[in-house]
Amino acid sequence: GCMLNGKLYPLGHIERTEDCYRCSCSQTEMSCCSIFSIPVAYDQENCKFALNRKSCKYDLVQNNNHSKEC
């Protein structure tokens, strides 16, 4: 298998890791790509984004109130 961030994954195709990556694991290497996109056009002064690992999407929230979306 392959080790990624302290977790062992089986050889072959991994559809989704705990960190929202799609990977291919062989006996010699592991290659991964993200399955999420990072927001680029947002109010950087008043908002921040955090990866929602359950949905593998970024949630854009207000800096002073994380329960409110931007």
Side-chain angles (χ1 to χ4, degrees), residues 52-67:
N52 180 329
R53 291 175 193 254
K54 192 172 193 176
S55 67
C56 286
K57 294 182 179 176
Y58 274 100
D59 293 333
L60 194 57
V61 295
Q62 295 179 3
N63 283 337
N64 59 356
N65 187 346
H66 296 175
S67 66

Side-chain angles (χ1 to χ4, degrees), residues 26-63:
S26 72
Q27 290 182 355
T28 57
E29 68 181 4
M30 183 175 198
S31 60
C32 300
C33 59
S34 64
I35 56 174
F36 55 85
S37 58
I38 299 172
V40 290
Y42 67 96
D43 182 353
Q44 295 181 2
E45 189 173 316
N46 296 308
C47 303
K48 73 174 194 169
F49 57 89
L51 180 61
N52 180 329
R53 291 175 193 254
K54 192 172 193 176
S55 67
C56 286
K57 294 182 179 176
Y58 274 100
D59 293 333
L60 194 57
V61 295
Q62 295 179 3
N63 283 337

